Amino acid sequence: MFDSLLAIVGAVGLFSQQAPCCGADAASAAECTSTTAVAASALKPLPAPKEAADREYLGLPAEAENFKLTDIQAEFLLVDVFDMYCHVCGRTAPDIKGFHETIAERKLDRKIKFLGLAVNNSPLEARTFRKKYSLPFPVFSDRRREVSSAFGRPRTPTLLVVKLSPNQMQVVYNHQGSIVDAAKLLDEVLKAAGDQP
């Protein structure tokens, strides 16, 4: 009976909120690469950050009201896709923060930038998550998944390595789910970003 109920619920799409990216199994972490490019014209804009430090970090002009991911001044962008109410996202947040610190220590912070996308969360929830885990990079609400849909509606948490150019972006690596070996994952991320650890 329970299996029948699950089949009905699945059929009407109540569990479609966290659709898979690259066909990953829901129960485990997955790594995959993609060569699909997304044109800048297809990207949904985000509101420019109010904080001057965040604008400067992303390389956005002071007068910008909105921006697209391809406007960020970097060769690669690490996108942390999370949901404030996802317990695994909370567990991975310190590792993502550590990646940011390591990349800064290796003097790669001009080449590689970070950005958080809080899917299904309000701007207040996104700010709360950032403050709770002291994330040193900008975090944006993606309540309706309008931005993350460019990546195929990834599950939470997902860490994406995105190669940027003015006219398009390309996902070159993604990791979904828990971070079991942070050092190994960081090596994979850096390798995808063209930096051999």
Side-chain angles (χ1 to χ4, degrees):
M1 168 121 175
F2 183 71
D3 290 339
S4 299
L5 179 61
L6 281 178
I8 293 168
V9 170
V12 297
L14 293 182
F15 290 140
S16 64
Q17 184 172 339
Q18 293 188 344
C21 176
C22 297
D25 175 75
S28 62
E31 290 83 16
C32 58
T33 57
S34 172
T35 56
T36 304
V38 179
S41 59
L43 297 174
K44 179 78 175 173
L46 286 164
K50 295 178 182 176
E51 297 80 10
D54 285 346
R55 284 174 179 266
E56 183 179 348
Y57 173 76
L58 297 175
L60 302 175
E63 67 277 6
E65 294 182 7
N66 298 293
F67 74 101
K68 293 184 177 183
L69 297 182
T70 50
D71 295 330
I72 294 171
Q73 301 301 302
E75 290 181 47
F76 293 90
L77 179 66
L78 269 61
V79 182
D80 179 24
V81 183
F82 68 88
D83 183 327
M84 178 179 174
Y85 302 102
C86 159
H87 68 281
V88 179
C89 300
R91 288 204 313 264
T92 61
D95 289 320
I96 304 298
K97 180 183 176 185
F99 292 172
H100 182 275
E101 292 167 354
T102 300
I103 284 171
E105 288 167 5
R106 294 189 185 186
K107 307 274 193 251
L108 295 170
D109 48 340
R110 295 177 75 76
K111 176 182 179 181
I112 304 170
K113 301 290 183 182
F114 284 69
L115 180 139
L117 284 179
V119 297
N120 309 315
N121 297 158
S122 69
L124 175 60
E125 289 168 322
R127 289 193 302 271
T128 300
F129 188 90
R130 182 183 185 184
K131 183 175 181 181
K132 179 177 181 179
Y133 295 103
S134 303
L135 298 177
F137 50 85
V139 171
F140 298 89
S141 166
D142 189 20
R143 177 178 258 169
R144 294 180 181 85
R145 291 181 171 261
E146 293 174 316
V147 179
S148 58
S149 64
F151 306 115
R153 292 177 61 87
R155 300 175 191 273
T156 57
T158 292
L159 181 65
L160 302 163
V161 180
V162 182
K163 184 173 176 57
L164 298 175
S165 67
N167 300 318
Q168 68 177 26
M169 64 179 191
Q170 180 181 8
V171 176
V172 295
Y173 182 84
N174 86 40
H175 172 87
Q176 298 178 46
S178 299
I179 297 175
V180 178
D181 186 336
K184 179 181 176 184
L185 177 57
L186 179 59
D187 286 347
E188 291 293 325
V189 165
L190 291 173
K191 183 178 178 182
D195 186 76
Q196 298 297 328

